[in-house]
Amino acid sequence: MKLEIEERVFHFRQPAGTSRGVYHERRSWMVRASEPGGAAGTGAAMVGGVGECAPLPDLSCDARADYGQVLRRFCDEVELSGQIPFDALRDYPSMLFGLETALLSLPDSAFSRGEVGIPINGLVWMGSYEEMLARMEQKLEQGFRCVKLKIGAIDFDRELDLVRRIRQRFSHHEVELRLDANGAFPFDEALYKLELLSQYNIHSIEQPIRQGQWALMAELCRESPLPIALDEELIGVNDPDLKRQLLNIIKPQYIVLKPSLHGGMMGTREWVVLARDMQIGSWITSALESNVGLRAVAGLCADIYGDRITTPQGLGTGQLFTDNIPMPLEIRGDELWTLKNS
């Protein structure tokens, strides 16, 4: 077993705005697994998979200055043992996700065979009012029946106006509307803002206040007129017992899972099982990976939720970069499909 690492930088077609700032480029480490193959005397043909390790600066629990060196040490360990050290990698979810993708076969499913698509939401990035309005109109014109609007970067009244505009054109029966605050609301303003938003039939809001405030988040989940989904709150919570404790204390209505942030494929499966036991809904999204990571996330999603997924997933990121890696994926309407015979 040999693992080679290639560092890549991808460039966004347009700046990706979040409440933490604006991304113009995305740095990833590609891990390629190979083994000598072929008959003796014919040369060493190399076969294997490729995985993407893509931490998000200021967000991933394993984003660090020496990321490449730490990843190399884990790759050396895998080369010697032939096994992924899952326990040692719990606190390095983006590295675990990349190694799982490189070394484990994508699950066979109707999605991977190109027989069914996965419903996805249309994502409206943060920006100026005019930019967000134009992006929102574009997603609606493309036929998305679920739109996710990132809020928290501009004046709240103007964001409320964007939500109002959607509901003036489409009822909640026609378009499901999700919001993502990325922790932007101060706690003492959060409930008031949630009450204002609730009049527009919002499906859910992700992370209304910043993570790490379990008691305050639990209070919001009890009092909010809107269903609350946890996202950043789950980052760095990698021990199974601590996961259960978090869900027991906060009792959210949903959790939103990004494998490269929330424990790789293994950790994502743990979160889903725990959530199901507690009647907490969940869906899976990519975390600004290239098409390499997106394909793996989509395959995991199909394996976990089955062939008849009805909840829109967050897998519409394949068109973000000018220099993405080609993969047999395409968006048809508001679904992500695998191209057949790929």
Side-chain angles (χ1 to χ4, degrees):
M1 172 68 64
K2 182 175 178 60
L3 297 175
E4 297 179 345
I5 301 173
E6 177 191 3
E7 188 174 347
R8 293 282 299 266
V9 177
F10 300 96
H11 299 88
F12 285 93
R13 294 184 185 277
Q14 59 186 29
T18 75
S19 61
R20 288 177 172 79
V22 179
Y23 291 114
H24 296 276
E25 62 182 32
R26 183 76 164 93
R27 191 173 304 275
S28 296
W29 285 258
M30 299 294 171
V31 176
R32 185 175 299 278
S34 56
E35 294 186 46
T42 64
M46 308 300 284
V47 295
V50 59
E52 181 175 8
C53 303
L56 282 167
D58 302 320
L59 189 60
S60 297
C61 65
D62 57 351
R64 46 193 297 161
D66 60 347
Y67 188 93
Q69 295 94 314
V70 174
L71 177 59
R72 182 67 260 173
R73 290 200 295 271
F74 280 121
C75 287
D76 291 343
E77 184 176 342
V78 173
E79 286 181 344
L80 288 173
S81 67
Q83 303 290 328
I84 298 175
F86 288 100
D87 287 340
L89 280 163
R90 276 193 178 275
D91 292 330
Y92 302 87
S94 64
M95 298 184 196
L96 175 57
F97 174 65
L99 287 169
E100 288 172 313
T101 304
L103 296 169
L104 305 177
S105 299
L106 285 174
D108 180 63
S109 65
F111 168 75
S112 67
R113 296 190 297 270
E115 298 169 1
V116 300
I118 298 175
I120 61 176
N121 62 249
L123 178 60
V124 176
W125 286 99
M126 291 179 179
S128 69
Y129 177 85
E130 291 74 18
E131 289 170 337
M132 293 177 72
L133 179 60
R135 293 167 189 166
M136 182 180 71
E137 293 285 351
Q138 181 185 46
K139 296 301 178 185
L140 295 173
E141 290 171 2
Q142 289 171 346
F144 280 95
R145 291 167 291 177
C146 176
V147 176
K148 176 177 172 179
L149 185 67
K150 282 185 172 287
I151 62 175
I154 62 175
D155 180 74
F156 178 74
D157 288 337
R158 306 204 83 189
E159 292 173 335
L160 197 62
D161 184 59
L162 286 171
V163 173
R164 185 183 301 113
R165 282 173 177 260
I166 294 179
R167 282 294 170 249
Q168 285 174 344
R169 287 183 54 191
F170 300 96
S171 74
H172 68 283
H173 299 294
E174 297 171 296
V175 173
E176 180 179 284
L177 185 57
R178 298 175 179 173
L179 303 178
D180 184 0
N182 289 123
F185 295 169
F187 175 73
D188 58 359
E189 299 176 8
L191 189 57
Y192 172 68
K193 290 181 176 180
L194 295 178
E195 288 171 347
L196 291 176
L197 290 166
S198 67
Q199 63 187 306
Y200 298 111
N201 292 297
I202 307 299
H203 171 272
S204 58
I205 183 167
E206 294 178 35
Q207 205 68 44
I209 62 174
R210 63 178 174 81
Q211 69 268 34
Q213 305 177 91
W214 289 15
L216 297 181
M217 186 67 84
E219 182 178 340
L220 271 189
C221 288
R222 288 194 304 269
E223 303 295 332
S224 172
L226 287 181
I228 289 177
L230 302 185
D231 179 357
E232 289 91 342
E233 199 72 65
L234 312 179
I235 297 173
V237 182
N238 301 314
D239 178 78
D241 290 336
L242 192 57
K243 291 178 180 181
R244 184 179 295 277
Q245 183 181 2
L246 181 150
L247 295 180
N248 270 326
I249 290 173
I250 298 180
K251 294 182 172 60
Q253 286 76 30
Y254 300 101
I255 58 174
V256 183
L257 296 163
K258 299 178 175 69
S260 61
L261 290 176
H262 300 138
M265 296 185 185
M266 175 192 70
T268 297
R269 292 181 189 277
E270 288 177 350
W271 279 116
V272 170
V273 170
L274 286 170
R276 283 174 176 167
D277 288 346
M278 300 180 191
Q279 287 76 55
I280 296 170
S282 67
W283 61 88
I284 292 175
T285 84
S286 57
L288 305 184
E289 297 94 354
S290 75
N291 279 335
V292 172
L294 176 61
R295 188 185 190 193
V297 174
L300 175 66
C301 181
D303 187 53
I304 288 177
Y305 297 123
D307 292 339
R308 289 181 170 82
I309 300 174
T310 56
T311 299
Q313 310 292 305
L315 305 176
T317 57
Q319 300 171 321
L320 287 177
F321 304 111
T322 60
D323 46 4
N324 212 334
I325 296 173
M327 280 285 163
L329 298 171
E330 69 175 6
I331 294 176
R332 302 176 192 169
D334 63 349
E335 292 185 335
L336 181 70
W337 285 74
T338 299
L339 296 177
K340 285 189 175 182
N341 303 317
S342 58

